[in-house]
Amino acid sequence: MKVLKFGGTSVGSIASLLNVKAIVEAIPAPVIVVVSALGGLTDKLIATAGLAKDGDRSYVDEMDAIASRHFDIISAVVGEELRPGVTDRISELLSELKRRYDGVFLLRELSARTLDSIVSFGERMSSVIVSAMIDGASLHDSLNFIKTEKWFAKNIADQKITSEAICTEFEGISDRAVVPGFISTDRDTGEITNLGRGGSDYTAALIAAALDAESLEIWTDVDGFMTADPRVISDAVVVPHMTFVESMELCSFGAKVIYPPTIYPVFHKNIPIRILNTFNPQAPGTLITDTPLADDMKVKGISAIKGTAMFSIRGEAVCNLPEINTRTFNALARRGVTVFIVSGPDNSGEFSFAVAETDTAPAKKALETEFAPELSTGGISGILIEENLATIAVVGEGIREDARLGPRIRNSLLRDSIHVVASSNGNSDTTLTFVVPLPSLGRSLKIIHALVV
């Protein structure tokens, strides 16, 4: 059995939906198909909620546009016999969505719980349409079996409960099952939640892992992982194969092909992932497995995170590396801040690390609280922050075994007058990382790609 996931661009138009139909119907059952909301709809749902909250009556016009888009698609892709029933079901969901918006408009209040409920309608409607479009398909509501728990302010999947519920839901499956991705319910309250950005990928991975699927296919709008963003590097090429670790590293550093948590459930079950193009289904795509292949490319890709902030902690206390490390990372983790790159300490008594610019404020507060005693006594002389930076990751299995590669890249950037703010071996044996000024990012990527690919 295979699990297939189709993203928003794959279900965003009549033409792409007909491609989805052809792809799925060509695969022998059983198969499970996970779908996102129609392309761009989640953003539209959120923006419309904002209008209602602000007392802007144009939210009604936006609702009408959402309804028209779904009805037009139903007319084009759903068979005549099933069309009335699908239209009725979508009308019911739209009426329910309208009541949510009306409530927000009247109260001028939009809680996180209400917004989670509103955005769930995207996947709930798309899955109804896709299940009716595909011959012999059945609809399974992921609100019944994807269960979340609270972790700080986030909803994360309770994998044990979810896995058990998935096995129960799909026991003895023999047909083509369609599942809405992204949406879930709280294990304790039953309230509608969601798995966040990339949640449909994660839904598919949880199902594949629970059912020991043959493979997980992520259908998107690109031919696979590429050595770099083709919008920046015109001669970037598709990577035929990479390991789970390589794909996780590339995604963690900005490659938007799949959502990083997607990989964990199937990685532990050693279930291969294939990245394929809905608009070019004949392309072989990228295969992701546990171990390298003999003919693998040495460097699988270069990715970048544009909004980077570099923190530098200075003072005598920095000399105690184990303590400063532990306290820094624990303080940041408690506030949900992820560290990209660590550099130092060096002879100057400075310990540096990079985070997303969006995490600058919580990271600063966490450090000031954690190191308040040292800041007051002078053990730490200051916490400096540099923004408007970008982090570049060069990824390939065993890349750190080549001790000359990092210096070669750094020297090539310096020869082109690009200031390297920091560099590191990264968090695994597969990654080299470099922090450069954001205005130099495009030039840096071109230099590195020409050097290593």
Side-chain angles (χ1 to χ4, degrees):
M1 182 195 69
K2 293 182 178 181
V3 176
L4 282 63
K5 178 264 177 177
F6 291 92
T9 54
S10 296
V11 295
S13 68
I14 292 166
S16 62
L17 279 163
L18 292 175
N19 283 351
V20 170
K21 176 179 169 66
I23 290 165
V24 174
E25 290 178 357
I27 298 173
V31 62
I32 297 176
V33 179
V34 178
V35 295
S36 298
L38 303 185
L41 186 67
T42 300
D43 289 340
K44 182 94 161 176
L45 291 168
I46 293 170
T48 303
L51 293 173
K53 177 180 178 292
D54 293 340
D56 187 337
R57 289 186 177 276
S58 65
Y59 81 91
V60 177
D61 297 330
E62 296 300 315
M63 263 295 309
D64 290 343
I66 291 170
S68 294
R69 183 181 180 191
H70 284 81
F71 290 139
D72 288 346
I73 285 177
I74 291 168
S75 297
V77 303
V78 176
E80 189 173 345
E81 186 176 320
L82 297 177
R83 202 175 298 157
V86 175
T87 300
D88 288 346
R89 179 60 185 136
I90 295 299
S91 296
E92 291 171 5
L93 288 168
L94 287 166
S95 295
E96 191 179 340
L97 175 59
K98 176 68 162 47
R99 287 194 293 272
R100 298 282 196 283
Y101 282 136
D102 289 343
V104 171
F105 179 80
L106 290 170
L107 297 173
R108 302 291 197 274
E109 181 181 331
L110 181 61
S111 67
R113 183 175 65 180
T114 300
L115 185 59
D116 280 350
S117 175
I118 286 171
V119 298
S120 75
F121 282 88
E123 277 73 14
R124 292 163 74 181
M125 292 190 291
S126 66
S127 60
V128 170
I129 295 171
V130 172
S131 65
M133 175 187 73
I134 295 170
D135 289 343
S138 60
L139 178 61
H140 296 252
D141 190 350
S142 56
L143 296 177
N144 295 330
F145 50 84
I146 305 295
K147 301 296 179 179
T148 61
E149 59 179 318
K150 280 290 183 187
W151 186 77
F152 295 100
K154 297 180 180 179
N155 298 303
I156 63 168
D158 183 318
Q159 294 201 27
K160 183 176 185 300
I161 293 175
T162 294
S163 181
E164 292 171 352
I166 289 169
C167 290
T168 299
E169 178 76 19
F170 294 101
E171 184 178 5
I173 180 176
S174 59
D175 63 354
R176 298 182 175 98
V178 175
V179 174
F182 176 68
I183 61 176
S184 48
T185 50
D186 186 276
R187 68 178 186 188
D188 299 315
T189 67
E191 294 172 348
I192 292 177
T193 57
N194 64 66
L195 298 175
R197 184 178 64 85
S200 293
D201 286 358
Y202 196 32
T203 300
L206 290 168
I207 293 171
L211 300 178
D212 293 316
E214 171 191 337
S215 65
L216 168 61
E217 296 183 356
I218 305 292
W219 288 83
T220 180
D221 57 358
V222 295
D223 283 344
F225 268 97
M226 302 193 74
T227 52
D229 185 341
R231 294 169 298 183
V232 179
I233 311 295
S234 59
D235 56 351
V237 297
V238 174
V239 181
H241 176 266
M242 62 175 57
T243 66
F244 289 121
V245 173
E246 289 169 333
S247 63
M248 283 189 282
E249 288 290 288
L250 281 169
C251 291
S252 296
F253 282 97
K256 292 181 170 58
V257 180
I258 53 176
Y259 183 49
T262 299
I263 301 159
Y264 299 127
V266 291
F267 169 68
H268 291 300
K269 289 290 191 78
N270 199 19
I271 296 170
I273 303 173
R274 192 176 287 277
I275 311 299
L276 297 161
N277 191 345
T278 305
F279 304 90
N280 185 21
Q282 290 75 33
T286 298
L287 176 65
I288 305 172
T289 62
D290 186 34
T291 55
L293 301 180
D295 58 349
D296 273 358
M297 302 165 63
K298 180 179 179 181
V299 173
K300 302 304 191 303
I302 304 161
S303 56
I305 298 173
K306 289 184 179 180
T308 296
M310 199 79 192
F311 279 73
S312 297
I313 303 174
R314 293 179 177 176
E316 292 182 5
V318 176
C319 296
N320 188 346
L321 178 58
E323 181 182 350
I324 208 81
N325 230 330
T326 300
R327 290 175 62 188
T328 295
F329 293 135
N330 286 346
L332 295 174
R334 285 193 294 270
R335 291 184 180 265
V337 176
T338 301
V339 175
F340 297 153
I341 173 176
V342 177
S343 179
D346 56 23
N347 294 332
S348 65
E350 181 175 296
F351 173 64
S352 301
F353 60 89
V355 302
E357 274 188 349
T358 52
D359 286 333
T360 300
K364 182 174 182 289
K365 189 171 183 179
L367 294 174
E368 289 174 344
T369 301
E370 177 65 30
F371 295 112
E374 288 84 357
L375 287 165
S376 65
T377 62
I380 289 179
S381 58
I383 299 173
L384 305 182
I385 305 170
E386 184 177 359
E387 295 183 294
N388 201 33
L389 305 172
T391 301
I392 299 171
V394 183
V395 177
E397 194 76 37
I399 198 170
R400 285 168 58 179
E401 294 174 6
D402 183 353
R404 296 172 297 176
L405 183 57
R408 281 177 60 210
I409 292 172
R410 189 182 184 102
N411 290 336
S412 295
L413 295 173
L414 292 173
R415 279 196 299 272
D416 209 71
S417 301
I418 295 172
H419 172 50
V420 180
V421 178
S423 61
S424 171
N425 287 338
N427 298 322
S428 75
D429 291 336
T430 65
T431 308
L432 300 173
T433 50
F434 304 86
V435 178
V436 300
L438 183 58
S440 302
L441 175 59
R443 200 152 43 99
S444 300
L445 290 172
K446 290 175 182 177
I447 291 168
I448 297 172
H449 191 269
L451 186 67
V452 302
V453 175

